Amino acid sequence: MRKPIGGANELNSMMSNANVTTTTMKMRKGLWSPEEDEKLMNYMITNGQGCWSDIARNAGLQRCGKSCRLRWINYLRPDVKRGAFSPQEEELIVHLHSLLGNRWSQIATRLPGRTDNEIKNFWNSTVKKRLKKSSSNSSSPNTSLDSSSSEHRDIMGGLMSMQDSSTFAAMYMDSSQRSSTSSSLQAIYMNQTMERLPLTGDHGPNMPILNASCYGTPQVGMDDNEISYQGCYQIFGGDLGLEDEMFNIPPLENMTNNNSTQGIKRENLDDTNNSMIITNNMNQCYNKVQAITEGFENCWEGEDELKVEEWDFEELMRESSMFPSFD
DNA sequence: AACGCATACAACCGCGGGGGG
DNA sequence: ACCCCCCGCGGTTGTATGCGT
């Protein structure tokens, strides 16, 4: 619906105004111009992440560090997935929200490529209203979002049944739901980043190693042994129990029952499943990276690049249903 | 065409936590 | 113990765009 902010004349005039005020060193506010984006992007490419105040200063931006951080995390970061939320993501958000409440950052860690801000906005603008509408239509007085109840599924009205995980995953990867906002900048970033990525490791032939995570931001100072594939697995909400050093998966923090949380993965995923999930997700990482090298746009457009099994949402939802609820 | 409303999303603000001096 | 700085989070506001009248 809404077009991405880009080369609006207004922004250029804002930049001009900003330049006028440079002498006063007054921090700029408001929308970011393409020039500012480029400055920040270039700086991040060259120097990587650091103290945001320094970044703002050294990149030649009249922005506070906070603003730079926000812009990077929510918009410029190459792993940010843009575009509409799929029904599956929506269901996952609703489900996770029923478990975690307004802990957007924690929800976001389980939706690779989505930012807490994006999820929060999506929730406030769309899901909340839909749930309200659904609950008002419901004859039952119980409007809580207990994920285990049939009510929960009713509230999901209009959403696809989770029984069909194939459709689920296919729709999740629907390229039509992705925009190419900022893709040129991302392409620049990723192409430059890829050139610096080591393409070695014990993860299969030609399996690239990504710093920090496949969906994360390359970080200066990490060696190969510190690299994790966190982003690929984080939505599983626990420790897979395999190669702990490599597969660093954050648990659902602050759960009221940590014992059950910790035990879920090992109890419910046998080694075969573990291997399959890891392999599939690593393949996804590899495919994604490969796509990136061929041009960022293609990353989301290739129909066959991201396979259905790679995101076993049925499994995910089943597992997250087993987590204890919050009060 | 003009206006107003709804929507989506970017960005800001305030607060709290953590670390260092 | 205190202060300062930085970071991250959640709530909120601002604004561009779409759409109906």
Side-chain angles (χ1 to χ4, degrees):
Chain A
M1 180 186 259
R2 188 182 173 188
K3 290 178 182 174
I5 293 170
N9 291 333
E10 185 182 348
L11 290 175
N12 291 328
S13 73
M14 287 169 67
M15 273 304 288
S16 301
N17 292 337
N19 291 336
V20 167
T21 58
T22 298
T23 51
T24 66
M25 290 307 288
K26 194 174 171 91
M27 294 298 177
R28 258 173 53 75
K29 288 185 182 180
L31 297 177
W32 280 65
S33 69
E35 290 83 1
E36 286 178 301
D37 282 345
E38 199 176 348
K39 275 186 184 176
L40 181 56
M41 181 71 88
N42 285 334
Y43 185 88
M44 295 300 287
I45 291 169
T46 311
N47 301 284
Q49 207 160 309
C51 174
W52 286 108
S53 302
D54 294 340
I55 290 173
R57 233 186 340 266
N58 298 336
L61 293 162
Q62 276 72 54
R63 294 273 183 176
C64 64
K66 209 170 177 178
S67 183
C68 292
R69 175 186 160 271
L70 208 64
R71 185 62 178 171
W72 174 256
I73 289 174
N74 288 331
Y75 197 84
L76 295 176
R77 221 176 47 180
D79 56 314
V80 171
K81 186 191 347 176
R82 310 192 65 77
F85 282 80
S86 69
Q88 291 69 47
E89 286 177 300
E90 183 172 336
E91 173 149 3
L92 187 53
I93 289 169
V94 171
H95 188 76
L96 289 170
H97 187 270
S98 70
L99 295 173
L100 298 164
N102 290 1
R103 294 180 175 91
W104 305 115
S105 60
Q106 289 193 31
I107 293 174
T109 63
R110 283 151 185 91
L111 278 129
R114 299 295 189 181
T115 67
D116 55 350
N117 201 40
E118 199 177 8
I119 293 169
K120 181 174 60 184
N121 284 331
F122 179 64
W123 179 269
N124 288 331
S125 65
T126 307
V127 181
K128 215 164 160 181
K129 283 176 197 162
R130 198 170 302 176
L131 294 180
K132 205 170 182 179
K133 195 176 175 184
S134 298
S135 63
S136 67
N137 291 337
S138 170
S139 56
S140 167
N142 179 14
T143 57
S144 68
L145 294 177
D146 177 5
S147 60
S148 62
S149 68
S150 59
E151 179 86 6
H152 178 68
R153 293 207 178 279
D154 291 341
I155 286 173
M156 303 290 187
L159 297 181
M160 178 177 57
S161 165
M162 288 301 296
Q163 304 305 314
D164 188 354
S165 62
S166 299
T167 312
F168 189 169
M171 288 188 69
Y172 182 75
M173 292 304 171
D174 182 1
S175 62
S176 67
Q177 294 173 349
R178 294 182 167 79
S179 76
S180 58
T181 305
S182 193
S183 58
S184 58
L185 280 173
Q186 288 176 326
I188 293 168
Y189 179 90
M190 291 311 295
N191 282 329
Q192 295 193 26
T193 300
M194 288 306 300
E195 291 172 6
R196 307 189 313 171
L197 289 174
L199 297 179
T200 58
D202 301 322
H203 318 294
N206 301 321
M207 183 65 74
I209 295 176
L210 296 183
N211 283 345
S213 79
C214 293
Y215 293 91
T217 308
Q219 292 181 2
V220 173
M222 294 182 83
D223 62 34
D224 290 359
N225 292 330
E226 293 173 329
I227 292 161
S228 77
Y229 283 83
Q230 178 176 330
C232 289
Y233 313 104
Q234 59 192 5
I235 60 171
F236 290 94
D239 173 13
L240 284 178
L242 291 176
E243 300 186 47
D244 287 348
E245 293 164 3
M246 288 297 296
F247 304 104
N248 178 20
I249 302 156
L252 280 172
E253 296 85 343
N254 303 323
M255 302 299 282
T256 52
N257 185 346
N258 282 331
N259 291 337
S260 61
T261 305
Q262 293 297 325
I264 284 169
K265 283 299 167 186
R266 287 186 174 84
E267 289 172 6
N268 296 284
L269 285 177
D270 60 29
D271 288 345
T272 304
N273 279 340
N274 276 337
S275 300
M276 186 184 73
I277 290 169
I278 289 169
T279 302
N280 286 333
N281 282 289
M282 287 180 77
N283 282 339
Q284 180 185 346
C285 292
Y286 175 65
N287 288 333
K288 191 169 179 178
V289 167
Q290 194 175 37
I292 288 167
T293 62
E294 295 166 2
F296 195 84
E297 297 284 349
N298 294 335
C299 178
W300 304 112
E301 290 174 359
E303 290 180 3
D304 298 325
E305 287 169 355
L306 302 170
K307 300 289 190 289
V308 164
E309 316 82 71
E310 285 160 2
W311 295 99
D312 193 343
F313 280 88
E314 188 175 0
E315 178 77 14
L316 170 63
M317 293 297 285
R318 196 161 54 236
E319 291 202 13
S320 57
S321 297
M322 298 170 68
F323 291 127
S325 299
F326 288 95
D327 292 328

